Structure formats: structure tokens, C-alpha cells
Amino acid sequence: MSLAGAAGPWRWLAGLLYVPLLYGAGWLLALPLPLEPVDRPLIGTGFTLALFLLSLPLWVGRMWRQQAPWTSLGVLGPAPAVLRALLRGLIKALLLLLVLSLALVLGGWARWQGAVAPSDWINALLLMLGVGFAEELVFRGWLWGELTQLLGGSRSAGQRALLAQAVLFSLVHTRFNLAPAGLLALLGGLGLLGLVLGLQRRADGGLLWGAIGLHGGLVGGWFLLQGSLLQLSNQAPAWLVGPGEVAPNPIGGLVGWLGLGALLWVRRRWWAPSSG
């Protein structure tokens, strides 16, 4: 049976199993390699990403019936528009991190150091591009589009898929070993981030690069702040710096919630299905 024209449970099953099967295949490819146990998850994830990138154009072309898969996913577009979207996303990430840094320093919970080793700059850039691109391609590229297809392909289906991808994004990234208050704060903050990134793509005319800049900028920027630019106090409150103790996630803190809420307000015109 051709899945390209399938409906109902078979099509849902294909969509639900696509990424998990790739993830399993990536780990199987890493098993025979002479790796240290600490390196195996990274290599397995790398294989998974490679398989995803190789198979995704075929999947989108066949399942979504799109002749320009990378354009449909928001990766390809006019160079000026791509650059503008990326810069807008990076600027938003910078502003959010700046507000957080000022709150921490002015509150006496952090001291500005301002020195960054070249290796830290490289790691931050790799995090920004790697995590930003890979996760946005998965969640705001493939997953959002896949859920829209599964739910019927209409604008209202796209709206339901927008909400669903934000929920799944939050569940995948939340640390479930946190105390209940921290868990709920992080779940909510990550859900808001998933919505903000989705609306960012809508506002950028379907391009993924604004979401990549915002998401990657937050990840790479926080790595620099926490590891080099700021010396965080052990007394920094979780309600501000976010839950996680030694590895806090500011998305679950007050600045994260307020900042993301503000971005949702700014992008409110893109909330309606008719906007994108």
C-alpha cells in the first residue's frame, strides 16, 4: 500500500514512527564503533541527524506531495529574507538574555566577568547553529508540517498542529526529575517558547531562520553567560534564573516567562490561522 495516498491509522503510524525509527537506527550504527561510553550518545545522535537530513526530502516529497521539500520546510528562500529572519531571531535572543543578565547583576546574584576563551566562542557558535538548526528543522519544520498533514492539511489543522508541536517540544525538553514547582515552571516556559518559535516562522513568511536564530541564540548565549561572562552565585533564586540548580534553565524563570509572553503579544497578529 502506498503511504503517499494513505489515510487514517496507517498514515498516523508512519508519521509517529518516522523519527523514533531513525533514532534507533542512529544508535545501532554507533554500537559497533570503539567509543567511550560518554561519547556514544553524541555519535548516535549525529548518525540520527544525518539519516534525518538524508531521508527528509524524500519523506516530504512523498508524504506531503511537495516538489520543493526544503522550501516547504522553510530552509530555502531568498538570501536577503533568510538573513533578515536570522538576524531578527538573534536580536530577540540577545534582548532576552540581556534583561536576564541585568536582573542577575543588579540583584547581586551574579558578577560580570566579561572574559571569554576562544574555545568557548567556538562551542557557543556550534551550539547556536547545531542545536538551533537541528531542533527547529525537527519541531517547527517537519513536526509542525507533519501534524498539519495528519490533521487534514487545512488552516485550522495548522493551528491545532501549532499547539501540539509546542506541547511535544516542551515534553521532550523538560527535566522530569525536578521538584513539582520547577517542573511546572519549565514545562510552561518551554511550551511558550514552542509557540513563540512557531509564530516567528509564520511572521517570517514560512522561513525557519528566524526561529533558528532565536532558539540557537538562546542556547549559545546562555552557554556563554553561564560558563564565561557571568559568575553566578549559588544564592541566585530559581524563580529568576530558572529551575535546575547547578544547570538552571532560564526559560522556566520569571524573565523567561515574561519575555516569551511579550514576544507572543508582539506576534499576536500571526496567531490566527489565516495569518500564515
Side-chain angles (χ1 to χ4, degrees):
M1 185 181 200
S2 173
L3 288 176
W10 289 108
R11 180 65 182 87
W12 274 94
L13 183 64
L16 292 173
L17 291 181
Y18 174 52
V19 170
L21 287 175
L22 290 180
Y23 189 75
W27 273 78
L28 288 175
L29 289 173
L31 281 178
L33 299 179
L35 300 170
E36 295 293 330
V38 70
D39 295 329
R40 197 171 301 278
L42 179 62
I43 301 302
T45 302
F47 279 135
T48 299
L49 179 59
L51 292 172
F52 184 67
L53 291 173
L54 288 172
S55 63
L56 189 57
L58 300 175
W59 181 276
V60 172
R62 185 170 178 78
M63 296 297 196
W64 300 6
R65 299 186 178 184
Q66 294 291 332
Q67 295 183 352
W70 292 115
T71 301
S72 300
L73 291 162
V75 176
L76 294 183
V82 167
L83 183 59
R84 283 195 301 270
L86 180 62
L87 289 176
R88 282 197 294 262
L90 287 171
I91 289 171
K92 290 182 178 68
L94 177 62
L95 290 174
L96 287 172
L97 292 172
L98 179 61
V99 172
L100 175 62
S101 300
L102 288 173
L104 288 168
V105 171
L106 294 177
W109 297 301
R111 184 169 60 86
W112 181 258
Q113 297 185 125
V116 181
S119 60
D120 286 341
W121 282 114
I122 294 172
N123 287 334
L125 183 61
L126 291 175
L127 280 172
M128 183 184 75
L129 295 176
V131 174
F133 178 78
E135 293 203 352
E136 288 312 302
L137 183 60
V138 171
F139 287 96
R140 259 60 62 182
W142 172 76
L143 180 61
W144 189 4
E146 184 71 9
L147 289 172
T148 301
Q149 295 286 322
L150 292 173
L151 292 170
S154 65
R155 285 179 173 176
S156 61
Q159 191 73 348
R160 296 195 300 274
L162 171 64
L163 296 171
Q165 62 82 26
V167 171
L168 290 171
F169 176 75
S170 177
L171 291 173
V172 167
H173 287 81
T174 296
R175 307 170 200 168
F176 286 94
N177 60 339
L178 294 172
L183 175 62
L184 292 175
L186 191 55
L187 273 171
L190 287 166
L192 288 175
L193 179 59
L195 291 175
V196 166
L197 292 169
L199 296 186
Q200 182 67 51
R201 184 182 174 190
R202 274 187 176 168
D204 290 328
L207 286 174
L208 205 58
W209 290 96
I212 291 171
L214 176 53
H215 188 171
L218 289 173
V219 173
W222 180 239
F223 169 82
L224 282 181
L225 285 172
Q226 189 181 15
S228 299
L229 293 173
L230 292 179
Q231 183 178 356
L232 286 176
S233 167
N234 293 331
Q235 305 302 315
W239 59 263
L240 178 61
V241 77
E245 298 181 355
V246 296
N249 189 332
I251 293 299
L254 180 64
V255 172
W257 274 69
L258 292 178
L260 293 171
L263 289 179
L264 281 178
W265 175 256
V266 168
R267 293 297 186 201
R268 64 191 182 279
R269 61 173 290 219
W270 300 101
W271 182 256
S274 60
S275 298

